[in-house]
């Protein structure tokens, strides 16, 4: 298949947790300006390129673009100096972002304000990609996901995130992660990029966000094969236990359904098989 | 009581729900009820073959044991599990002493490997293990003691023979260097022993290879054919006609000898059916007959299995709604390989099918059961069950559904996206702003926000820094991918051996150290391990000082060494490489030593 015929779909997931953005010394507005330029660059590479943007907020995740047209107000003025597609997308994103922040009550009532709804955003992205791929009869659309993350992953979302990651792996959709602010742990996004063949980049200087995005995340799937891109190679394979959602390094795994527990159980809570430990040593004695 | 009889053990026990007294003497075990009868009701001599069964402590409700001799079982209930232990011990000692070679009572599961060893897994290279195993073994309950020593020793030997790496380790650690004792070595490898034991216990079924005589071409052009008794047995199993021919023609008063029979067999076309070289084939009447008869057998077999045309069961119920279409014969013509009665050419596929079916039936118990049932059904004239045909479902009462209630007490946790913990909110809020404030602030900020993308977004300084950082990342990645892999082609062998040895030693010591770390009864061992770890550490440090000349002097193969001498530069490079290789081991030993020191 010729490269010329490929259309690239970039699905961008932006983590918009206001509390964490406030903590970082880089404002969300500034970051959004960088991101918009990056989106325009992606669209400019090829005529067929397309983009979808999802905001992962506190307790909710929403599409910023594309959203089915509402007949409220679509600015009909045409700016002759600007590429129409850029303008449309930029405006929509800005408008929907403001609409997102309008609603104060839902995030406020959400108990866990430390992290964002990453699992939801990933699921929405995968569903959208699936729809586009099915609708595309010729089979030219190559999609990928880029996550711009600031907040730590919630261990409570471990199972959902892992399921999304495995689906992405099955569909051959690389997940790239750009960590603007925040520590690495928990490491689910690192594992996501590792398994799906994407890149994980942690920024020391958020002010250079645009430059990092352009170098590391602009090349599409075809070109990545021929370029050597920066990214972290070492992955920490931690997991969250299914019973208490705490991050563990060493645990017990059900041999039937592979669910992870932090302490030995008599019966697996997911598949209800009776479990017996045959060769486990505790304090030197065999159980 | 006889003259020489001594009472060894006595306890109260109940038999058949009657209280009484159980006594073990040097010659017999007897029980007499409490109501004062002098004659013991149960009297078992130690010399008589008897088996001893104990209920499992956790499973059974009360302490019981059972002795079975000569067809009759006696079950006794005792007051405590410790009594049973004592009885066991007494019985073993007494039986061990008794002259009569009775099968020793508590047969632990370790005895079974002895059976299986003779038919250890052999690769299917023509000689196959004998057909069905010696019959189902009676597994007695484990009497609580672990494997007996001699059986354990046998297992160890077998394991060492099978696993090359393990025997290498064993040789180095236990025999040559004398770092750990034999017992310690096996103590840490009990999983291996257990796995091996389980593997040995597995019953092997019938071999699936079609018995085929393969000639071995020796030097000089002669072909030699090995006919082992196992092969003979298999041929007889597969082709019963050959067996009959053998019995008829080979023997004392019969014409053919054993060797001649097999010679003719090999040369006959019976054997060479599937080979197309017609040159060495001789027409042999005996085996032609065998062949024809085998064919007939097979064809008959098929008919019997399909119940022929004579045994179609005719139902007594008439279907009044049947139309013409129900009576049209729609048959699929049988595949060319499955048609019977086509003469001498029994196709290879059919033969393989038949062979495979035989083997599966031999090993599967289900078909045996269904065959028995089918036989029963044919023998009895079972009355057809009419009820399902005449009952109408709507007229029956509704039965309550046998729904099983899924206890979902954990499912909410499984799907939970959050667990409500009150404390977590506090972390995320700044000291100044509460979350609602932040949210409101963002809301006001974003109203009427129109970013200007036409001005420069990123200053020169940050852009350069970002590029530099990316380049550094790429560089390290390339470095690791290409250049950091050391070239081990000319690595001198004495250094390599020393490194390998140190790894083996160090890992073994570390394993023993951590295994005896927290247990109370192994503090001695722990201290010993600390000493040994220190020794290993000094030895690692000594590697720097290894020089080529010393090695040449020490080793007895000095002539060989002169050939493989490397120049000094390469030697020192190799030494640094060796130090790098040993670094993780050294770190681990240092961690262990610091922990040991702090513990004490």
């Amino acid at each position: 298949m010729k490269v010329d015929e490929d259309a690239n779909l970039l699905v961008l997931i932006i983590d918009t947790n206001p509390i964490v953005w406030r903590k970082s010394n880089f404002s969300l507005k500034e970051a959004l300006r960088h991101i918009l330029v990056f989106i325009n660059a992606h669209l400019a590479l090829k005529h067929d390129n397309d983009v979808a943007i999802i905001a992962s907020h506190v307790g909710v995740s929403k599409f910023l673009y594309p959203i089915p047209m509402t007949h409220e107000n679509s600015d009909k003025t045409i700016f002759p100096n600007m590429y129409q597609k850029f303008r449309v997308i930029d405006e929509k994103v800005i408008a929907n972002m403001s609409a997102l922040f309008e609603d104060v009550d839902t995030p406020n009532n959400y108990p866990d304000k430390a992290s964002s709804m990453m699992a939801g955003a990933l699921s929405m992205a995968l569903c959208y990609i699936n729809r586009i791929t099915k609708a595309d009869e010729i089979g030219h659309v190559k999609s990928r996901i880029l996550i711009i993350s600031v907040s730590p992953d919630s261990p409570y979302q471990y199972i959902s995130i892992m399921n999304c990651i495995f689906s992405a792996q099955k569909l051959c959709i690389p997940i790239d992660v750009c960590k603007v602010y925040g520590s690495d742990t928990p490491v689910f996004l690192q594992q996501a990029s590792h398994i799906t063949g994407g890149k994980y980049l942690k920024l020391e200087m958020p002010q250079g966000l645009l430059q990092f995005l352009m170098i590391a995340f602009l090349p599409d799937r075809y070109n990545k094969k021929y370029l050597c891109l920066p990214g972290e190679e070492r992955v920490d394979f931690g997991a969250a236990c299914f019973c208490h959602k705490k991050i563990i390094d060493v645990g017990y795994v059900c041999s039937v359904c592979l669910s992870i527990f932090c302490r030995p159980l008599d019966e697996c809570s997911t598949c209800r098989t009776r479990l017996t430990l045959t060769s486990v040593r505790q304090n030197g004695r065999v159980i | 009581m006889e003259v020489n009889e001594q009472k060894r053990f006595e306890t109260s026990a109940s038999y058949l729900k009657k209280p009484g007294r159980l006594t073990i003497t040097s010659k017999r075990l007897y029980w007499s009820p409490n109501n004062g009868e002098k004659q013991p009701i149960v009297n078992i001599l130690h010399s008589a073959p008897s088996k001893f069964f104990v209920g499992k402590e956790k499973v059974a409700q009360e302490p019981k044991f059972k002795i079975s001799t000569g067809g009759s079982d006696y079950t006794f209930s005792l007051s405590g599990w410790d009594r049973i232990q004592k009885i066991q011990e007494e019985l073993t000692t007494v039986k061990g002493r008794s002259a009569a070679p009775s099968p020793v009572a508590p047969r632990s599961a370790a005895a079974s490997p002895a059976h299986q060893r003779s038919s250890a897994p052999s690769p299917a290279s023509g000689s196959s293990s004998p057909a069905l195993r010696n019959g189902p073994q009676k597994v007695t309950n484990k009497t609580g003691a672990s494997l007996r020593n001699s059986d354990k020793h046998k297992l160890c030997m077998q394991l060492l023979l099978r696993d090359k790496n393990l025997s290498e380790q064993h040789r180095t650690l236990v025999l040559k260097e004398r770092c750990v004792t034999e017992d310690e070595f096996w103590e840490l490898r009990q999983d291996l022993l257990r796995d091996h034991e389980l593997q040995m216990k597995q019953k092997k079924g019938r071999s699936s290879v079609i018995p085929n005589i393969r000639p071995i071409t020796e030097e000089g052009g002669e072909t030699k054919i090995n006919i082992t008794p196992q092969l003979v047995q298999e041929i007889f199993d597969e082709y019963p006609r050959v067996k009959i021919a053998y019995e008829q023609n080979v023997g004392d008063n019969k014409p053919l000898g054993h060797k001649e029979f097999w010679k003719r067999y090999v040369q006959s076309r019976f054997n060479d059916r599937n080979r197309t070289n017609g040159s060495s084939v001789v027409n042999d009447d005996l085996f032609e007959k065998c062949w024809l008869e085998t064919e007939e057998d097979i064809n008959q077999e098929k008919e019997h299995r399909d119940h022929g045309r004579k045994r179609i069961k005719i139902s007594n119920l008439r279907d009044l709604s049947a139309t013409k279409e129900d009576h049209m014969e729609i048959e699929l013509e049988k595949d060319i390989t499955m048609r019977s009665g086509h003469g001498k050419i029994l196709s290879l596929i059919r033969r393989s099918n038949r062979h495979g079916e035989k083997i599966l039936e031999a090993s599967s118990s289900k078909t045996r059961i269904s065959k028995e049932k089918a036989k029963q059904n044919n023998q009895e004239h079972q009355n057809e069950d009419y009820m399902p045909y005449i009952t109408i479902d709507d007229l029956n009462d509704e039965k309550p559904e046998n729904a099983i209630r899924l206890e979902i007490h954990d499912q909410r946790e499984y799907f939970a996206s959050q667990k409500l913990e009150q404390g977590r909110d506090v972390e995320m809020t700044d000291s100044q702003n509460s979350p609602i404030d932040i949210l409101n602030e963002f809301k006001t900020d974003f109203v009427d926000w129109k970013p200007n993308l036409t001005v420069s977004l990123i200053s020169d300084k940050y852009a350069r820094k970002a590029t530099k950082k990316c380049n550094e990342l790429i560089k390290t990645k390339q470095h690791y991918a290409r250049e950091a892999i050391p070239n081990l082609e000319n690595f001198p062998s004495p250094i390599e051996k020393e490194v390998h040895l140190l790894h083996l030693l160090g890992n073994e010591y570390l394993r023993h150290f951590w295994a005896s770390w927290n247990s109370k009864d192994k503090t001695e061992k722990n201290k010993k391990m600390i000493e040994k770890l220190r020794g290993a550490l000094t030895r690692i440090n000594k590697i720097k000082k290894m020089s080529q000349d010393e090695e040449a002097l020490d080793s007895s193969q000095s002539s060989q060494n002169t050939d493989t001498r490397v120049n000094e530069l390469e030697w020192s490079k190799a030494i640094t490489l060796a130090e790098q290789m040993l670094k993780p081991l050294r770190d681990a030993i240092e961690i262990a030593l610091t922990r040991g020191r702090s513990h004490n």
Side-chain angles (χ1 to χ4, degrees), chain A residues 33 37 81-82, chain B residues 451-457:
Chain A
R33 287 172 72 201
V37 174
N81 291 334
M82 196 169 179
Chain B
N452 187 358
L453 296 179
T454 54
V455 297
S456 158
L457 290 170

Side-chain angles (χ1 to χ4, degrees), chain B residues 47-312:
Chain B
S47 49
S50 62
K51 292 205 178 102
F52 184 88
F53 302 91
V54 183
K56 280 198 185 158
E57 197 166 336
K58 291 183 188 158
V59 172
Q61 279 144 336
E62 44 172 315
K64 289 194 229 188
F65 76 96
K66 178 167 93 173
I67 294 188
S68 64
T69 54
S72 45
D73 302 347
Y74 306 99
T75 315
F76 301 93
S77 304
L78 296 164
S79 46
W81 288 103
D82 47 340
R83 301 296 167 101
I84 294 195
Q85 278 285 85
K86 279 220 99 180
I87 293 179
Q88 274 170 220
E89 286 166 20
E90 290 298 330
L91 282 175
T92 33
T93 28
V94 167
K95 289 216 178 200
R97 284 191 205 167
S98 70
S102 51
V104 182
R107 222 206 277 169
S108 61
S112 34
H115 282 285
Q116 308 289 347
R117 216 178 350 124
S118 55
S119 46
S122 54
S125 53
S127 67
S128 43
S129 44
L132 288 167
R133 275 289 116 253
N134 24 329
Q137 308 210 351
K138 213 177 197 179
V139 181
T140 61
N141 289 330
K142 270 203 183 159
T143 52
S146 54
L147 303 172
R148 284 185 299 163
N149 274 341
S150 59
D151 295 314
K152 188 175 174 186
H153 189 66
K154 278 183 207 156
L155 269 184
C156 298
M157 293 299 294
Q158 281 172 35
L159 201 56
L160 286 177
L161 281 172
R162 289 182 79 190
D163 189 355
K164 222 171 146 197
N165 277 338
L166 193 65
S167 65
E168 187 67 39
Q169 281 185 6
H170 185 258
R171 207 178 310 140
T172 325
L173 289 171
V174 179
L175 300 171
K176 268 201 214 156
E177 300 282 331
R178 295 185 183 281
C179 324
V180 289
T181 61
E182 178 92 22
D183 290 331
E184 284 174 349
F185 181 82
W186 289 114
E187 200 186 318
L188 276 192
R189 286 171 174 78
Q190 284 204 15
D191 328 343
L192 293 177
L193 283 175
R194 199 195 336 250
D195 288 341
H196 183 75
E197 187 198 332
L198 287 175
Q199 216 175 20
M200 290 285 102
K201 270 201 247 170
Q202 269 186 327
K203 281 192 211 162
K204 268 197 102 178
R206 188 172 150 172
S207 154
S208 59
V209 179
I210 298 183
N212 208 352
I213 299 181
R214 282 180 212 271
I216 309 169
T217 355
E218 286 193 347
E219 298 171 359
E222 283 179 14
T223 52
K224 186 172 160 202
I225 296 178
N226 260 339
I227 299 186
T228 62
Q230 283 175 1
L231 189 55
V232 167
Q233 190 63 37
E234 284 190 351
I235 292 178
F236 284 165
D237 276 336
E238 185 79 20
Y239 308 113
R241 292 287 172 186
V242 175
K243 184 172 185 182
I244 293 173
Y246 183 85
E247 280 165 6
Q248 282 173 350
N249 293 321
V250 177
D252 294 331
N253 301 336
K254 313 274 176 54
L256 286 174
H258 178 81
K259 278 192 186 168
E260 283 176 37
F261 182 83
W262 288 113
K263 221 181 178 179
R264 282 178 68 177
Y265 176 82
V266 166
Q267 287 175 345
S268 77
R269 232 203 277 165
F270 190 80
N271 180 39
D272 281 331
R273 264 171 311 190
N274 43 348
R275 300 190 196 176
T276 47
N277 52 344
S279 54
S280 57
V281 155
V282 168
N283 243 343
D284 199 328
D285 291 334
L286 180 63
F287 291 107
E288 283 290 315
K289 200 171 62 147
C290 282
W291 192 356
L292 281 174
E293 286 174 340
T294 317
E295 293 281 317
E296 280 177 28
D297 276 347
I298 296 175
N299 294 337
Q300 279 211 340
E301 240 181 61
K302 277 235 142 243
E303 281 195 12
H304 269 296
R305 218 178 305 135
D306 299 342
H307 299 296
R309 273 165 226 121
K310 309 170 188 168
R311 292 179 179 240
I312 294 179

Side-chain angles (χ1 to χ4, degrees), chain A residues 262-286:
Chain A
C262 48
R263 52 183 175 77
L265 297 178
D266 284 330
E267 194 182 66
C268 169
S269 60
T270 334
C271 62
R272 328 234 87 203
T273 37
R274 299 209 71 90
L275 305 169
T276 46
L277 294 170
T278 46
S279 57
V280 170
R281 289 168 175 271
Q282 260 190 7
N283 298 331
R285 276 178 290 119
V286 178

Side-chain angles (χ1 to χ4, degrees), chain B residues 298-299 302-303 305-306 332-342 345-354 357:
Chain B
I298 296 175
N299 294 337
K302 277 235 142 243
E303 281 195 12
R305 218 178 305 135
D306 299 342
L332 291 171
E333 199 172 307
K334 276 196 176 161
D335 175 35
I336 195 171
T337 59
M338 295 307 280
R339 285 184 216 152
S340 57
H342 265 241
I345 306 172
L346 179 61
S347 90
L348 202 52
I349 298 177
R350 273 184 78 191
R351 208 176 331 146
S352 309
N353 286 346
R354 198 170 134 264
E357 190 180 355

Side-chain angles (χ1 to χ4, degrees), chain B residues 319-426:
Chain B
D319 184 8
L320 292 179
S321 62
T323 61
K324 181 181 178 189
E325 285 182 351
D326 292 318
H327 293 285
M328 285 184 347
E329 295 270 339
I330 303 176
E331 259 183 19
L332 291 171
E333 199 172 307
K334 276 196 176 161
D335 175 35
I336 195 171
T337 59
M338 295 307 280
R339 285 184 216 152
S340 57
H342 265 241
K344 298 185 179 177
I345 306 172
L346 179 61
S347 90
L348 202 52
I349 298 177
R350 273 184 78 191
R351 208 176 331 146
S352 309
N353 286 346
R354 198 170 134 264
H355 178 78
E357 190 180 355
K358 255 193 176 179
I359 294 195
L360 285 176
E361 277 181 9
S363 52
S364 131
S365 55
K366 278 189 201 169
T367 46
R368 231 182 289 137
I369 294 174
S370 66
K371 263 190 178 173
E372 289 168 8
K373 267 195 186 165
K375 265 192 216 162
Q376 281 180 357
N377 282 342
N378 284 336
Q379 285 163 8
E380 310 167 352
H381 282 288
Q382 251 189 358
N383 282 328
E384 201 177 330
D385 193 6
Y386 299 124
M387 286 308 280
Y389 292 101
I390 59 180
T391 48
I392 305 177
D393 284 336
D394 292 342
L395 296 181
N396 287 338
D397 288 330
E398 257 189 45
K399 290 188 207 150
E401 280 182 14
N402 287 354
I404 302 173
R405 191 142 185 213
L406 245 187
E407 262 116 86
I408 319 181
H409 60 97
D410 272 328
Q411 218 179 48
R412 242 179 289 134
E413 274 187 28
Y414 180 80
F415 289 115
S417 59
Q418 81 266 18
K419 224 180 188 176
L420 303 174
E421 284 180 16
Q422 291 305 313
R424 288 195 104 237
D425 271 3
V426 184

Side-chain angles (χ1 to χ4, degrees), chain A residues 19 22 29 33 37 94 98 101 108 111-112 114 156 204-205 211 228-229 233 243 245 269-270 272, chain B residues 407 410 413-414 416-417 424-425 428 436 441 443 445-446 449 451-452 455 457 465 467 469 474 477:
Chain A
I19 299 163
R22 168 51 52 93
K29 276 187 180 176
R33 287 172 72 201
V37 174
I94 294 166
S98 331
F101 283 111
N108 198 28
D112 182 11
Y156 300 121
E204 290 162 358
M205 281 171 307
Q211 186 70 3
C228 183
L229 296 173
E233 300 302 316
C243 39
K245 316 289 179 199
S269 60
T270 334
R272 328 234 87 203
Chain B
E407 262 116 86
D410 272 328
E413 274 187 28
Y414 180 80
S417 59
R424 288 195 104 237
D425 271 3
M428 277 322 297
I436 184 79
E441 200 182 315
K443 175 176 163 187
D445 264 350
F446 274 81
W449 168 57
N452 187 358
V455 297
L457 290 170
K465 271 194 190 172
T467 322
K469 179 78 190 155
I474 298 174
K477 202 165 86 162

